[in-house]
């Protein structure tokens, strides 16, 4: 379970995240949605211990990321696609993570199959398309077989087939009792994937609940956002 409580983050005078609270529950896919610059990545970085909040707490299974005993086996994260060295082959990127975390090498082949990259495992990451980089990032997140997944913009750059693959994988993954938190600025692309929705705009949570409850009475999630904020998502969505 993920629990973000009253998290704020200031960068100089800029309040990037302003008192954000929400939960992501086991067995559910939770979408953390909002336009570019809304504060999604900052919140996720704080959750994963990559940044310190100015105030508030972000907990994974009741602990801060830094105090998790087995972080990679507890939570898999993909923040900006693959942060892999371009000269490294996809498979070597995964090998490096597996070895440094005592993950058996058979897991590498399992996760490559899961994300549909088995055929391109020996290609250098620098030659990967954006979609392939996303897939290798997801594969890395899955290596430790974690019960919780945190994915920043996982469908960005994926073709429709790639989106379907990720979508059905996340569905099965959550259905077997795991927790998925994914961020996106593409509301319509994730509306079919998520159970629960947390909408952030300008650093603040403006809606939080089951997808059906949020969209009730609206033609789409974008329309619900428009009603809530008075502004159209625009090209940045
Ligand atoms: P999102 O992920 O929703 O696109 P971000 O969390 O990346 O939004 O950014 C939220 C706000 O915080 C933006 O206005 C962004 O410019 C600002 N911001 C993010 N990181 C930094 C940083 N390291 N220094 C200064 N401002 C930042």
């Amino acid at each position: 379970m993920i629990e973000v409580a009253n998290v704020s983050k200031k960068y100089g005078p800029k309040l990037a995240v302003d008192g954000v609270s929400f939960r992501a529950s086991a067995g559910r896919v939770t979408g953390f949605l909002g336009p570019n610059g809304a504060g999604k990545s900052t919140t996720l970085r704080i959750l994963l211990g990559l940044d310190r909040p100015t105030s508030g707490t972000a907990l994974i299974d009741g602990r801060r990321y830094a105090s998790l005993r087995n972080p990679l086996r507890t939570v898999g994260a993909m923040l900006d696609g693959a942060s892999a060295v371009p000269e490294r082959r996809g498979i070597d990127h995964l090998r490096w993570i597996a070895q440094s975390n005592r993950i058996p090498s058979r897991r590498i082949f399992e996760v490559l199959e899961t994300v549909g990259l088995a055929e391109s495992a020996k290609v250098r990451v620098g030659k990967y398309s954006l979609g392939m980089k996303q897939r290798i990032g997801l594969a890395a997140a899955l290596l430790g077989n974690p019960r919780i997944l945190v994915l920043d913009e996982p469908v960005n750059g994926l073709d429709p087939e790639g989106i379907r693959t990720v979508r059905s994988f996340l569905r099965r993954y959550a259905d077997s009792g795991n927790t998925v938190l994914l961020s996106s600025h593409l509301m319509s692309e994730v509306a079919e994937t998520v159970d629960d929705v947390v909408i952030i705009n300008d650093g603040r949570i403006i809606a939080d609940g089951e997808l059906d409850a949020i969209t009730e009475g609206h033609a789409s999630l974008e329309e619900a956002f428009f009603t809530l904020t008075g502004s159209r998502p625009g090209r940045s969505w």
Side-chain angles (χ1 to χ4, degrees), residues 11 14 16 35-42:
Y11 290 113
K14 162 101 191 158
N36 283 326
K40 303 181 297 295
S41 299
T42 303

Side-chain angles (χ1 to χ4, degrees), residues 164-185:
R164 275 195 294 277
T165 307
V166 170
R167 182 177 290 163
S168 63
F169 167 73
L170 294 179
R171 181 74 272 146
R172 276 182 279 122
Y173 183 79
D175 284 348
S176 42
N178 298 307
T179 305
V180 180
L181 176 64
L182 64 89
S183 81
S184 184
H185 65 285

Side-chain angles (χ1 to χ4, degrees), residues 84 88-100 103 107-109 111-112 115 117 121 125 135-143:
R88 206 171 256 173
R89 297 168 203 279
I91 193 164
D92 293 332
H93 173 61
L94 298 179
R95 252 186 211 133
W96 172 69
I97 299 170
Q99 279 169 7
S100 50
I103 291 165
R107 252 323 265 167
I108 296 170
F109 299 97
V111 297
L112 281 167
V115 302
L117 265 190
V125 172
R135 285 163 190 247
I136 199 84
L138 181 59
L142 293 172
L143 268 179

